[in-house]
Amino acid sequence: MAGLKRTISTGTTRLSARASPYNAGATSFESDTNPASPRRSKRIKLEPKVEETLEDIVETKERAVKVESATSGASKKAGVAKTPRKPKPIPQALAVPHPAPPKWQETYTTIKQMRARILAPVDTMGCDQAQHKETDPKTKDEVTDAAVSKLRDALGGSLTVDALIVADDATISEAIGKVGFWRRKTEYIKKTAQRLRDDFDSDVPKTVDELCSLPGVGPKMAFLALQVAWDLYLPYFSLAMTPT
């Protein structure tokens, strides 16, 4: 009985049963598969999926920006420069003037009569009033007016181009700290003062395109500056609605 051997098939593996030499009441099973050539499993082990966190996404983007910046810097060192974008000219007048609204002149006259009896902040402050407080003729609201007055005092009493150039950033920032985006505007003020001295003889430019070439200046402020600084009323604003 000890040497009795019988084979059992399980479909893919053949097992041989034989009596245990150590216990007559026990049966041991052995595989007939050759251990030298084990059957290869067709199952594919999948790696656990790792979810990408927000920090991973940000880190990946920052790494890409650094690589792009390094590549751009290498290109500049190699003498490869990008072609500067040609500035788009600012229209000085509309090709087709807007038609005058009906009864606009009666409305305009009524508003003038109402405003004659009311003192608004625009009457005592703003871009057209700031120049009256200056000793140097070359050079919106309550917050802006207060910031300009504080900056004027910090620079010795007048907002001159030379005074802005020699002033440090901290002095300008402390004066205009109540206005929005004061850090960016501090940079704009310094760069604009430098441009005015180098390119415009420390004076206000006389065209919309030149004004818009200054840091932080857009078409609206350019037209207002021309009106206030040079008493120029362009047809872009007046058109057919200019009161007679």
Side-chain angles (χ1 to χ4, degrees):
M1 292 294 293
L4 180 62
K5 179 180 179 181
R6 56 197 180 102
T7 302
I8 301 175
S9 177
T10 62
T12 57
T13 305
R14 295 174 60 85
L15 300 177
S16 297
R18 77 173 61 237
S20 174
Y22 306 103
N23 189 342
T27 303
S28 63
F29 293 89
E30 298 177 356
S31 173
D32 289 344
T33 306
N34 185 2
S37 57
R39 183 180 180 86
R40 181 175 299 176
S41 175
K42 294 183 179 181
R43 295 182 180 179
I44 300 176
K45 185 178 180 181
L46 299 178
E47 295 293 334
K49 183 178 181 181
V50 179
E51 295 185 359
E52 193 173 25
T53 63
L54 179 59
E55 290 77 6
D56 296 332
I57 297 174
V58 173
E59 183 180 357
T60 302
K61 289 185 177 181
E62 289 179 349
R63 191 182 301 113
V65 170
K66 290 181 180 179
V67 172
E68 182 179 357
S69 177
T71 305
S72 176
S75 300
K76 290 182 179 180
K77 291 181 180 180
V80 180
K82 293 183 178 180
T83 303
R85 181 180 297 179
K86 186 177 181 180
K88 186 178 181 180
I90 305 297
Q92 309 295 317
L94 296 177
V96 179
H98 294 303
K103 297 184 179 181
W104 72 268
Q105 195 160 11
E106 291 86 340
T107 303
Y108 180 81
T109 303
T110 303
I111 293 175
K112 284 186 63 176
Q113 294 174 352
M114 294 172 59
R115 286 283 288 109
R117 301 190 299 268
I118 301 174
L119 187 63
V122 71
D123 298 318
T124 59
M125 58 190 67
C127 66
D128 62 330
Q129 296 295 324
Q131 62 174 341
H132 300 318
K133 305 174 185 178
E134 290 296 334
T135 57
D136 185 352
K138 292 184 178 181
T139 319
K140 68 187 175 182
D141 54 13
E142 294 92 334
V143 176
T144 301
D145 188 76
V148 173
S149 298
K150 190 173 182 180
L151 179 59
R152 181 186 294 110
D153 295 339
L155 298 182
S158 186
L159 290 174
T160 64
V161 171
D162 291 336
L164 288 170
I165 291 176
V166 298
D168 54 24
D169 292 358
T171 299
I172 299 176
S173 297
E174 197 278 332
I176 68 172
K178 294 295 182 65
V179 303
F181 306 103
W182 57 271
R183 289 187 180 87
R184 185 181 303 174
K185 290 177 180 178
T186 297
E187 179 183 354
Y188 287 165
I189 290 173
K190 294 287 290 185
K191 290 183 178 179
T192 295
Q194 191 74 39
R195 283 284 316 281
L196 292 177
R197 187 190 67 179
D198 297 343
D199 301 337
F200 301 104
D201 194 24
S202 296
D203 209 342
V204 179
K206 294 184 179 181
T207 68
V208 174
D209 290 326
E210 289 176 336
L211 284 165
C212 288
S213 70
L214 301 175
V217 178
K220 181 186 76 173
M221 185 53 63
F223 282 107
L224 290 174
L226 289 180
Q227 177 180 331
V228 173
W230 300 114
D231 199 24
L232 296 176
Y233 292 83
L234 299 179
Y236 188 82
F237 279 141
S238 56
L239 301 176
M241 297 184 61
T242 303
T244 57

